[in-house]
């Protein structure tokens, strides 16, 4: 209608950075001496504290849902990431291609395993398909398995917990254990003497010779956030789990194969996020491992990359929006670290609120004047603004 100004569309940018923040008594802070772009962002936005969540699904937090209210299995996320929608009463598994050594112990199989070799081996899983067990081929060593009309009353062992143990001592237990154990045993018989694994042994490499189902669960209903919020948000990350979750809430995920350059986010991937015309969420997750292994050089390099390829372009994009009458709102979200089994408070920097003129680093974690929010609330507020 004439005379009524059109509402200015909002472009929303959310940056998720787990592991970047230290505890309040920080001994290795990478935020205390920020680059020029981060300093400018801090001058434009409000610093808030983030209360840690206790359980639930982290991926839910990253789209503004209470993580403690959402419970999905690894298997359900893996199958969704593969773009498959099995019948409702199906049990979903993550299916990992692993290695069984001469001594029978389980180990990773990904060492120097080419994409073509991994796919050739995984394709053999189709020969193991039955009326009730259906393998779903993915990429690399990550695949899926669907058990039609199955039960989740069973226990499986995640690869990280099974490594170093004899494979036949950590097999599934409970409903359907005979079916799943037969699948695992048949996969070992099928893959162990494959020409690819014979060549790998000759080259001193571990064979990729067993398919390992784990992380079982039914797909649980989730809200369609695209319909609820009237916008399709795109995530940029290297995580299959997040890709699966985004699909289940009606959102999208960018091509994960472009996400990394070594252990660091690829500059072109960060540019794709910044230049994405709609609302988008970026996540990079290597900082936690860098802290755990005390790779302070890597952490400093990561921070420099973020300042150059994320924070500087974000500053420039906001200035350009101001000149053209557009509106950009943004959030930098740093969940607190996990130390000795305890989650610590985090920090967020939100453009929805005016700056207080305080630093965005660990020094403000003990300041009672800094407002606190639940971990998901600043993201929810931005996406629903």
């Amino acid at each position: 209608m004439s005379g009524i100004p059109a509402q200015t569309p909002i472009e929303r940018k959310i940056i998720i950075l787990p592991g970047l923040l230290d505890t309040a008594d920080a001994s290795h802070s990478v935020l205390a001496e920020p680059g020029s772009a981060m300093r400018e962002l801090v001058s434009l936005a409000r610093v808030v504290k983030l209360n840690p969540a206790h359980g639930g699904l982290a991926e839910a937090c990253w789209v503004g849902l209470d993580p403690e209210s959402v419970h999905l299995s690894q298997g359900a996320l893996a199958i969704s990431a593969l773009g498959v929608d099995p019948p409702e009463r199906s049990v979903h598994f993550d299916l990992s291609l692993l290695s069984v050594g001469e001594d029978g112990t389980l180990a990773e199989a990904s060492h120097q395993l080419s994409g073509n070799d991994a796919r050739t081996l995984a394709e053999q899983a189709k020969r193991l398909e039955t009326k009730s067990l259906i393998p779903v081929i993915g990429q690399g060593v990550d695949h899926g398995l669907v058990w039609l009309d199955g039960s989740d009353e069973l226990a499986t062992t995640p690869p990280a917990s099974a490594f170093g143990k004899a494979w036949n001592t950590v097999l599934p237990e409970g409903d359907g254990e005979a079916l799943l154990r037969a699948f695992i045993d048949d996969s070992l018989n099928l893959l162990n003497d494959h020409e690819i694994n014979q060549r790998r042994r000759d080259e001193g490499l571990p064979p990729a010779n067993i398919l390992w189902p784990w992380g079982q669960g039914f797909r649980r209903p989730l809200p369609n956030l695209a319909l609820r919020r009237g916008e399709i948000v795109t995530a940029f990350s290297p995580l299959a789990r997040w890709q699966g979750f985004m699909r289940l809430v009606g959102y999208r995920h960018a091509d994960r194969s472009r996400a990394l350059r070594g252990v660091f986010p690829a500059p072109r991937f960060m540019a794709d996020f910044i230049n994405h015309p709609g609302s988008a969420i970026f996540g990079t997750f290597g900082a936690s491992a860098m802290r755990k292994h005390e790779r302070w050089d890597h952490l400093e390099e990561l921070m420099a990359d973020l300042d150059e390829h994320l924070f500087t372009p974000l500053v420039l994009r906001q200035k350009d929006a101001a000149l053209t009458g557009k509106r950009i709102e943004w959030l930098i979200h740093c969940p607190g670290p996990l130390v000795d089994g305890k989650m610590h408070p985090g920090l967020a920097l939100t453009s929805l609120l005016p700056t207080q003129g305080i630093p965005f680093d660990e020094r403000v974690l003990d300041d009672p004047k800094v407002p606190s929010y639940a971990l998901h609330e600043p993201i929810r507020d931005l996406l629903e603004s």
Side-chain angles (χ1 to χ4, degrees), residues 193-317:
D193 293 325
H194 192 281
E195 61 182 1
I196 290 175
N197 283 323
Q198 291 178 356
R199 186 184 75 237
R200 287 178 63 81
R201 289 189 183 93
D202 291 342
E203 295 171 352
L205 297 171
N209 57 353
I210 195 167
L211 290 164
W212 195 258
W214 61 284
Q216 70 283 348
F218 293 104
R219 179 178 292 183
R220 309 295 180 186
L222 291 172
N224 188 314
L225 296 181
L227 289 178
R228 177 192 290 183
R229 294 170 174 165
E231 179 184 36
I232 297 178
V233 178
T234 300
F236 291 76
S237 89
L239 301 183
R241 282 177 57 96
W242 199 2
Q243 179 174 349
F245 185 79
M246 293 295 280
R247 182 172 177 269
L248 293 176
V249 296
Y251 285 167
R252 294 173 181 159
H253 197 287
D255 181 2
R256 291 186 295 111
S257 68
R258 296 161 52 88
L260 296 175
R261 185 182 62 181
V263 297
F264 300 101
R268 186 173 177 182
F269 197 64
M270 291 186 274
D272 290 345
F273 161 73
I274 290 292
N275 296 322
H276 184 73
S279 295
I281 309 172
F282 176 89
T284 186
F285 304 90
S288 296
M290 294 172 192
R291 282 198 177 278
K292 179 180 178 181
H293 298 291
E294 299 186 354
R295 291 305 306 267
W296 311 124
D297 55 338
H298 281 184
L299 205 56
E300 294 288 347
E301 184 175 346
L302 172 63
M303 191 63 185
D305 280 355
L306 295 176
D307 202 72
E308 178 181 356
H309 299 293
L310 274 188
F311 305 149
T312 296
L314 182 58
V315 169
L316 296 174
R317 195 165 180 85

